[in-house]
Coordinates of all heavy atoms in Angstrom, one line a residue:
Q108 N 17.4 0.3 11.5 CA 17.8 -0.2 10.1 C 16.6 -0.8 9.5 O 16.4 -0.8 8.2 CB 18.9 -1.2 10.3 CG 20.3 -0.5 10.7 CD 21.4 -1.5 11.0 OE1 21.1 -2.6 11.3 NE2 22.6 -1.0 10.9
D109 N 15.7 -1.5 10.2 CA 14.5 -2.2 9.7 C 13.4 -1.3 9.4 O 12.5 -1.6 8.7 CB 14.1 -3.3 10.6 CG 15.1 -4.5 10.8 OD1 15.9 -4.6 9.8 OD2 15.0 -5.2 11.7
F110 N 13.5 0.0 9.9 CA 12.3 0.9 9.7 C 12.1 1.2 8.2 O 13.1 1.5 7.5 CB 12.6 2.2 10.4 CG 11.6 3.3 10.1 CD1 10.3 3.2 10.6 CD2 12.0 4.3 9.3 CE1 9.5 4.2 10.3 CE2 11.1 5.3 8.9 CZ 9.8 5.3 9.5
K111 N 10.9 1.1 7.7 CA 10.6 1.5 6.4 C 9.3 2.4 6.4 O 8.4 2.1 7.2 CB 10.3 0.2 5.5 CG 11.5 -0.6 5.1 CD 11.1 -1.7 4.2 CE 12.3 -2.5 3.7 NZ 12.0 -3.6 2.8
R112 N 9.3 3.4 5.6 CA 8.2 4.2 5.5 C 7.0 3.4 4.8 O 7.3 2.5 4.1 CB 8.5 5.4 4.6 CG 9.4 6.4 5.3 CD 9.9 7.5 4.3 NE 10.7 8.5 5.0 CZ 12.0 8.2 5.3 NH1 12.6 7.1 4.9 NH2 12.7 9.2 5.9
T113 N 5.8 3.7 5.2 CA 4.6 3.0 4.8 C 4.0 3.6 3.6 O 3.7 4.9 3.7 CB 3.6 2.7 6.0 OG1 4.3 2.1 7.0 CG2 2.5 1.9 5.5
V114 N 3.7 2.9 2.6 CA 3.0 3.4 1.4 C 1.7 2.6 1.2 O 1.7 1.4 1.3 CB 3.8 3.3 0.1 CG1 3.0 3.6 -1.1 CG2 5.1 4.1 0.2
L115 N 0.6 3.4 1.0 CA -0.7 2.8 0.8 C -1.0 2.8 -0.7 O -1.0 3.8 -1.3 CB -1.8 3.5 1.6 CG -3.3 3.1 1.2 CD1 -3.6 1.7 1.6 CD2 -4.3 4.2 1.9
I116 N -1.3 1.6 -1.3 CA -1.7 1.4 -2.7 C -3.2 1.2 -2.7 O -3.7 0.2 -2.2 CB -0.9 0.3 -3.4 CG1 0.6 0.6 -3.3 CG2 -1.4 0.1 -4.8 CD1 1.4 -0.5 -3.9
V117 N -3.9 2.1 -3.4 CA -5.3 2.0 -3.5 C -5.8 1.8 -5.0 O -5.6 2.6 -5.8 CB -6.0 3.2 -3.0 CG1 -7.6 3.0 -3.0 CG2 -5.5 3.7 -1.7
D118 N -6.3 0.5 -5.3 CA -6.6 0.2 -6.7 C -7.7 -0.9 -6.6 O -7.5 -1.9 -5.8 CB -5.4 -0.2 -7.5 CG -5.8 -0.1 -9.0 OD1 -6.8 -0.6 -9.4 OD2 -4.9 0.6 -9.7
D119 N -8.7 -0.9 -7.5 CA -9.7 -2.0 -7.4 C -9.3 -3.2 -8.1 O -9.9 -4.2 -8.0 CB -11.1 -1.4 -7.9 CG -11.0 -1.0 -9.3 OD1 -10.0 -0.4 -9.7 OD2 -12.0 -1.1 -10.1
E120 N -8.3 -3.1 -8.9 CA -7.8 -4.2 -9.7 C -6.6 -4.8 -9.0 O -5.6 -4.2 -8.8 CB -7.3 -3.8 -11.1 CG -8.6 -3.3 -11.9 CD -8.2 -3.0 -13.4 OE1 -7.0 -3.4 -13.8 OE2 -8.9 -2.3 -14.1
A121 N -6.7 -6.1 -8.6 CA -5.7 -6.8 -7.8 C -4.4 -6.9 -8.6 O -3.3 -6.8 -8.0 CB -6.2 -8.2 -7.5
L122 N -4.5 -7.1 -10.0 CA -3.2 -7.1 -10.7 C -2.4 -5.8 -10.6 O -1.2 -5.9 -10.4 CB -3.5 -7.4 -12.2 CG -2.4 -7.6 -13.1 CD1 -1.6 -8.8 -12.7 CD2 -2.8 -7.7 -14.6
N123 N -3.1 -4.7 -10.7 CA -2.4 -3.4 -10.5 C -1.8 -3.3 -9.1 O -0.7 -2.7 -9.0 CB -3.4 -2.3 -10.8 CG -3.6 -2.1 -12.2 OD1 -2.9 -2.6 -13.2 ND2 -4.8 -1.5 -12.6
R124 N -2.5 -3.7 -8.1 CA -2.0 -3.5 -6.7 C -0.7 -4.4 -6.6 O 0.2 -4.0 -6.0 CB -3.1 -4.1 -5.7 CG -4.3 -3.1 -5.6 CD -5.1 -3.4 -4.3 NE -5.6 -4.8 -4.2 CZ -6.7 -5.2 -4.7 NH1 -7.5 -4.4 -5.3 NH2 -7.1 -6.5 -4.5
E125 N -0.8 -5.7 -7.2 CA 0.3 -6.6 -7.0 C 1.5 -6.0 -7.8 O 2.6 -6.1 -7.3 CB 0.0 -7.9 -7.6 CG 1.0 -9.0 -7.3 CD 0.6 -10.3 -7.8 OE1 -0.6 -10.6 -8.1 OE2 1.4 -11.3 -7.9
L126 N 1.3 -5.5 -9.0 CA 2.4 -5.0 -9.8 C 3.1 -3.8 -9.1 O 4.3 -3.8 -9.0 CB 1.8 -4.4 -11.1 CG 2.8 -3.7 -12.1 CD1 3.9 -4.7 -12.5 CD2 2.1 -3.2 -13.3
L127 N 2.3 -2.8 -8.6 CA 3.0 -1.7 -7.9 C 3.6 -2.1 -6.6 O 4.7 -1.6 -6.2 CB 1.9 -0.6 -7.6 CG 1.4 0.2 -8.8 CD1 0.2 1.1 -8.5 CD2 2.6 1.0 -9.4
G128 N 2.9 -3.1 -5.9 CA 3.4 -3.5 -4.7 C 4.8 -4.2 -4.8 O 5.7 -4.0 -4.0
N129 N 5.0 -5.0 -5.8 CA 6.3 -5.6 -6.1 C 7.4 -4.6 -6.4 O 8.6 -4.8 -5.9 CB 6.2 -6.6 -7.3 CG 5.4 -7.9 -7.0 OD1 5.3 -8.2 -5.8 ND2 4.8 -8.5 -8.0
I130 N 7.1 -3.5 -7.0 CA 8.0 -2.4 -7.2 C 8.4 -1.7 -6.0 O 9.5 -1.4 -5.7 CB 7.5 -1.5 -8.3 CG1 7.3 -2.2 -9.7 CG2 8.5 -0.3 -8.5 CD1 6.6 -1.4 -10.8
I131 N 7.3 -1.4 -5.2 CA 7.5 -0.4 -4.1 C 8.1 -1.1 -2.8 O 8.9 -0.5 -2.1 CB 6.2 0.2 -3.7 CG1 5.5 0.9 -4.8 CG2 6.3 1.1 -2.5 CD1 6.3 2.1 -5.3
E132 N 7.8 -2.5 -2.7 CA 8.2 -3.1 -1.4 C 9.7 -3.3 -1.3 O 10.2 -3.6 -0.2 CB 7.5 -4.4 -1.3 CG 7.9 -5.5 -2.4 CD 7.1 -6.8 -2.3 OE1 6.2 -6.8 -1.4 OE2 7.5 -7.7 -3.0
T133 N 10.5 -3.0 -2.4 CA 12.0 -3.1 -2.2 C 12.5 -2.1 -1.3 O 13.6 -2.2 -0.7 CB 12.6 -2.9 -3.6 OG1 12.3 -1.7 -4.2 CG2 12.2 -4.1 -4.6
E134 N 11.8 -0.9 -1.2 CA 12.2 0.2 -0.3 C 11.2 0.6 0.8 O 11.5 1.3 1.7 CB 12.5 1.4 -1.2 CG 13.7 1.2 -2.1 CD 14.1 2.5 -2.8 OE1 13.8 3.6 -2.3 OE2 14.9 2.4 -3.8
Y135 N 9.9 0.1 0.6 CA 8.9 0.6 1.5 C 8.0 -0.5 2.0 O 7.9 -1.5 1.3 CB 8.0 1.7 0.8 CG 8.8 2.9 0.3 CD1 9.2 2.9 -1.0 CD2 9.1 4.0 1.1 CE1 9.9 4.0 -1.5 CE2 9.8 5.0 0.6 CZ 10.2 5.1 -0.6 OH 10.9 6.1 -1.1
K136 N 7.4 -0.3 3.2 CA 6.4 -1.2 3.7 C 5.2 -0.8 2.9 O 4.8 0.3 2.9 CB 6.2 -1.0 5.2 CG 5.1 -1.9 5.7 CD 5.0 -1.6 7.2 CE 3.8 -2.4 7.8 NZ 3.5 -2.1 9.3
V137 N 4.5 -1.9 2.4 CA 3.3 -1.6 1.5 C 2.0 -2.1 2.2 O 2.0 -3.3 2.7 CB 3.5 -2.2 0.1 CG1 2.2 -2.0 -0.8 CG2 4.7 -1.7 -0.5
I138 N 1.0 -1.4 2.2 CA -0.4 -1.8 2.6 C -1.3 -1.5 1.4 O -1.0 -0.7 0.6 CB -0.8 -1.2 3.9 CG1 -0.9 0.4 3.8 CG2 0.0 -1.6 5.1 CD1 -1.5 1.1 5.0
F139 N -2.5 -2.2 1.4 CA -3.3 -2.1 0.2 C -4.7 -1.8 0.6 O -5.2 -2.1 1.7 CB -3.4 -3.5 -0.5 CG -2.0 -3.9 -1.0 CD1 -1.2 -4.8 -0.3 CD2 -1.6 -3.4 -2.2 CE1 0.0 -5.2 -0.8 CE2 -0.3 -3.8 -2.7 CZ 0.5 -4.7 -2.0
A140 N -5.5 -1.2 -0.3 CA -6.9 -1.0 -0.2 C -7.6 -1.2 -1.6 O -6.9 -0.8 -2.6 CB -7.3 0.4 0.3
S141 N -8.8 -1.8 -1.7 CA -9.3 -2.1 -3.0 C -10.4 -1.1 -3.4 O -10.8 -1.1 -4.5 CB -10.0 -3.5 -2.9 OG -11.0 -3.6 -1.9
D142 N -10.7 -0.1 -2.6 CA -11.6 1.0 -2.9 C -11.4 2.2 -2.0 O -10.7 2.1 -1.1 CB -13.1 0.5 -2.9 CG -13.5 0.0 -1.5 OD1 -13.3 0.8 -0.5 OD2 -14.0 -1.1 -1.4
G143 N -12.2 3.3 -2.4 CA -11.9 4.5 -1.7 C -12.4 4.4 -0.2 O -11.7 5.1 0.7
K144 N -13.4 3.7 0.1 CA -13.9 3.6 1.5 C -12.8 3.0 2.4 O -12.5 3.4 3.4 CB -15.2 2.9 1.5 CG -15.9 2.8 2.9 CD -17.2 2.0 2.7 CE -17.9 2.0 4.1 NZ -17.2 1.0 5.1
E145 N -12.3 1.9 1.9 CA -11.3 1.1 2.6 C -10.0 2.0 2.8 O -9.3 2.0 3.8 CB -11.0 -0.2 1.9 CG -10.0 -1.1 2.7 CD -9.6 -2.3 1.9 OE1 -10.1 -2.6 0.8 OE2 -8.8 -3.0 2.5
A146 N -9.7 2.8 1.7 CA -8.6 3.6 1.7 C -8.7 4.7 2.9 O -7.7 4.9 3.6 CB -8.4 4.4 0.4
L147 N -9.8 5.3 3.0 CA -10.0 6.3 4.0 C -9.9 5.7 5.4 O -9.3 6.3 6.3 CB -11.3 7.0 3.9 CG -11.4 8.0 2.7 CD1 -12.9 8.5 2.5 CD2 -10.5 9.2 2.9
E148 N -10.4 4.5 5.5 CA -10.3 3.8 6.9 C -8.8 3.6 7.2 O -8.4 3.8 8.4 CB -11.1 2.5 6.8 CG -12.5 2.6 6.7 CD -13.3 1.3 6.5 OE1 -12.5 0.3 6.3 OE2 -14.5 1.2 6.5
K149 N -8.0 3.2 6.2 CA -6.6 2.9 6.5 C -5.8 4.3 6.8 O -4.8 4.3 7.5 CB -6.0 2.1 5.4 CG -6.6 0.7 5.4 CD -5.7 -0.3 4.7 CE -6.3 -1.7 4.8 NZ -5.5 -2.8 4.1
I150 N -6.2 5.3 6.0 CA -5.6 6.6 6.3 C -5.9 7.1 7.7 O -5.0 7.6 8.4 CB -6.1 7.6 5.2 CG1 -5.6 7.3 3.8 CG2 -5.7 9.0 5.6 CD1 -6.2 8.1 2.7
H151 N -7.1 6.9 8.2 CA -7.4 7.3 9.5 C -6.7 6.4 10.6 O -6.3 6.9 11.6 CB -8.9 7.1 9.8 CG -9.7 8.1 9.0 ND1 -11.0 7.9 8.5 CD2 -9.4 9.4 8.5 CE1 -11.5 8.9 7.9 NE2 -10.5 9.8 7.9
T152 N -6.5 5.1 10.2 CA -5.8 4.2 11.2 C -4.3 4.5 11.2 O -3.8 4.6 12.3 CB -6.0 2.8 10.7 OG1 -7.4 2.4 10.6 CG2 -5.3 1.8 11.6
Y153 N -3.7 4.7 10.1 CA -2.3 4.9 10.2 C -1.9 6.4 10.4 O -0.8 6.6 11.0 CB -1.7 4.4 8.8 CG -1.5 2.9 8.7 CD1 -2.5 2.2 8.3 CD2 -0.3 2.3 9.0 CE1 -2.4 0.8 8.2 CE2 -0.1 1.0 8.9 CZ -1.2 0.2 8.5 OH -1.1 -1.2 8.4

């Protein structure tokens, strides 16, 4: 019941990350990356 699919939000602007995160986290587990390099690292990790 607690299981949630994970969504990665990649944006260099903190405000945009927070805005999307607040919308998405009602149904999904959210993780963040602030640039493309960090995004690829998290894609490889998850």
Side-chain angles (χ1 to χ4, degrees):
Q108 290 171 338
D109 291 340
F110 169 76
K111 287 185 176 181
R112 293 170 176 79
T113 302
V114 174
L115 170 63
I116 298 176
V117 187
D118 200 309
D119 60 325
E120 294 186 16
L122 183 62
N123 286 339
R124 293 199 300 271
E125 186 177 350
L126 175 64
L127 287 173
N129 288 336
I130 296 171
I131 303 296
E132 67 183 3
T133 58
E134 294 188 17
Y135 301 96
K136 177 183 176 182
V137 181
I138 59 175
F139 300 96
S141 59
D142 58 56
K144 183 174 181 294
E145 185 184 358
L147 288 174
E148 290 172 356
K149 293 199 172 179
I150 289 169
H151 292 151
T152 301
Y153 281 83

